[in-house]
Amino acid sequence: MDAVVRPCGNRALLFEVGSAAEVAAIVDAVRAAGLTEVTELVPAARTVLVEVAPGASLDRVRATAAGADPRDGISGTGVLHTIPVHYDGADLDLVADTAGISRDEAVALHSGAEYTVDFCGFAPGFGYLSGLPEPLQQPRLESSRTAVPAGSVGIADVYSCVYPRRSPGGWRLIGRTDTVLFDPAAERPALFTPGDRVRFEAR
């Protein structure tokens, strides 16, 4: 794979790539290789940071990433989460009108797809979920809301999301869920981990 590789101190490498598929390929390859020296694996939209234990070599990480192939299609093999959604979001009509379809068709498209957690960021527990059907791939709102309720289900660009807590946001809101996405007191605070799969179930 053709990636720009940047050292981050003496224990980590940052791989800069051109697509989400390449990010997923590096993540999948490193996980599949079972590199015991790897202590952190942090994917983002177009980068992957890989950290190793103190004193460990980065050579195997570099070689594994170089051999990653986005055509392998092994991303999204993690835990499957089914999220119940009430499709009554403030922007559902806007989304349907922009797509040139009915509200029911927009709901059917969104709930009929399977998504992959590409990476997490913005807020604790906030996952960027790829797999959004093409008619629903729409821009963010021109003006962000100052407060989006926790559990709001939104779409923007090629992603869908669930807001884990009340926060500002500019995604188009299509529904809401009672599923807890982030609980700091839990053994595993964040529900989503990169590589997990997500399906939305209309209620």
Side-chain angles (χ1 to χ4, degrees):
M1 179 185 297
D2 185 18
V4 175
V5 185
R6 303 188 187 278
C8 293
N10 58 7
R11 290 180 50 202
L13 295 174
L14 182 71
F15 298 91
E16 297 180 354
V17 295
S19 70
E22 291 172 294
V23 168
I26 291 175
V27 171
D28 289 337
V30 172
R31 285 177 173 164
L35 305 181
T36 56
E37 64 268 35
V38 172
T39 56
E40 291 287 346
L41 181 60
V42 186
R46 296 292 184 270
T47 63
V48 182
L49 179 72
V50 187
E51 182 188 73
V52 298
S57 171
L58 289 161
D59 291 346
R60 292 205 301 171
V61 171
R62 190 186 300 270
T64 299
D69 189 342
R71 296 172 297 179
D72 287 344
I74 59 174
S75 183
T77 56
V79 175
L80 173 62
H81 306 276
T82 300
I83 308 296
V85 177
H86 299 282
Y87 283 96
D88 55 2
D91 303 315
L92 182 56
D93 285 334
L94 171 63
V95 168
D97 289 346
T98 302
I101 57 180
S102 69
R103 285 173 59 105
D104 288 345
E105 289 171 323
V107 170
L109 278 174
H110 189 263
S111 60
E114 183 172 285
Y115 302 82
T116 299
V117 182
D118 279 359
F119 60 98
C120 297
F122 171 63
F126 190 103
Y128 289 77
L129 315 180
S130 64
L132 189 66
E134 192 277 332
L136 302 182
Q137 295 179 12
Q138 302 177 16
R140 294 166 55 94
L141 298 172
E142 291 185 6
S143 297
S144 295
R145 294 180 169 91
T146 56
V148 175
S152 295
V153 177
I155 61 172
D157 193 21
V158 298
Y159 297 110
S160 187
C161 77
V162 182
Y163 282 80
R165 61 199 308 175
R166 182 180 175 88
S167 62
W171 295 48
R172 299 187 181 201
L173 305 182
I174 60 174
R176 56 188 168 85
T177 181
D178 294 325
T179 300
V180 176
L181 274 289
F182 184 74
D183 179 1
E187 181 177 349
R188 177 181 169 179
L191 179 65
F192 293 156
T193 297
D196 284 358
R197 296 171 294 142
V198 179
R199 296 195 69 94
F200 295 102
E201 185 176 82
R203 292 292 175 89

